[in-house]
Amino acid sequence: MAILPIVEVPDPRLKTVSTPVDAVTDETRKLIADMFETMYDAPGIGLAAIQVGVPKRILVIDLQEEEDEEGNPIKDPRVFINPELIDPSEELRTYEEGCLSVPDQFADIERPDSVTARWLDENGEQHEERLDGLLATCLQHEMDHLEGIVFIDHLSRMKRNMVLKKLEKARRLKAA
Ligand code: GNR
Ligand code: NI
């Protein structure tokens, strides 16, 4: 397993439309293992393959919402290969989103509150499930990455430029 470098804005690779996985192989499973290691290390609750430079339609998510008696997060790893969204709810919900490719920047984004998702798991088996809450939000955020969209692309140009300026400033401070 390996922690992979995370691609950050304004890297043009984040604008790539990722291509479907045609067969789930050992190579796919190795990438997925590396994606989980990278996501847990970051730490983040989701990661799309393009965020580690691989333009394939693969996502990993772990909300880690549950804790054990010692207060340590209980792992709940979920893999989504070639995911599709069906039947998004008319009801929207606003969540303050962040992204490992836009480090330390957050903004309110409105998305459908619940969605039905269809996807393949790491064994190539198909799943279909109605998802809501943070999982629905996170899945939609990750699926945007597969289309080359980052959450700040949902903001007005003025708000997006504000976030990008703050990010540049934080990077300059870090480099100094
Ligand atoms: O770690 C992450 N947190 C998060 C918070 C709210 C909505 C979406 C996310 S996903 C993000 C990790 C990431 O960049 N995935 O692409
Ligand atoms: Ni992201």
Side-chain angles (χ1 to χ4, degrees):
M1 294 233 287
I3 295 169
L4 305 173
I6 294 177
V7 176
E8 296 184 0
V9 292
D11 192 309
R13 286 177 289 176
L14 291 170
K15 303 240 188 240
T16 314
V17 177
S18 294
T19 57
V21 174
D22 45 37
V24 181
T25 62
D26 285 346
E27 196 191 336
T28 318
R29 285 181 281 271
K30 180 180 184 309
L31 173 63
I32 288 166
D34 289 347
M35 286 173 64
F36 273 117
E37 198 179 1
T38 303
M39 182 191 79
Y40 288 128
D41 175 71
I45 61 172
L47 191 73
I50 193 60
Q51 292 181 279
V52 293
V54 180
K56 288 276 173 198
R57 300 183 83 82
I58 302 172
L59 314 173
V60 298
I61 293 179
D62 190 339
L63 304 179
Q64 293 193 72
E65 289 179 312
E66 308 282 324
E67 294 186 346
D68 66 16
E69 311 84 65
E70 274 142 48
N72 297 312
I74 296 170
K75 286 206 167 124
D76 179 24
R78 287 168 165 265
V79 176
F80 298 83
I81 300 171
N82 299 344
E84 289 172 53
L85 286 188
I86 312 145
D87 208 16
S89 63
E90 274 181 43
E91 194 187 337
L92 304 176
R93 124 187 238 277
T94 303
Y95 201 88
E96 187 179 51
E97 298 194 15
C99 181
L100 296 174
S101 297
V102 192
D104 304 319
Q105 308 303 316
F106 303 89
D108 281 349
I109 306 291
E110 197 175 50
R111 301 184 188 271
D113 174 66
S114 63
V115 294
T116 297
R118 198 179 283 159
W119 71 94
L120 301 179
D121 66 18
E122 66 277 19
N123 300 311
E125 301 201 16
Q126 223 194 92
H127 296 259
E128 185 176 316
E129 209 180 305
R130 188 83 188 161
L131 306 174
D132 61 13
L134 181 56
L135 184 55
T137 298
C138 187
L139 183 68
Q140 291 174 78
H141 171 118
E142 302 312 337
M143 288 185 66
D144 272 354
H145 281 300
L146 303 183
E147 301 303 321
I149 295 167
V150 178
F151 80 102
I152 56 172
D153 296 333
H154 292 289
L155 301 173
S156 67
R157 190 186 325 180
M158 194 179 81
K159 282 191 183 165
R160 180 167 56 251
N161 285 340
M162 262 169 52
V163 170
L164 290 171
K165 267 171 73 179
K166 274 174 59 190
L167 178 59
E168 278 313 309
K169 188 175 173 196
R171 281 175 175 153
R172 280 201 307 276
L173 286 169
K174 226 172 121 184

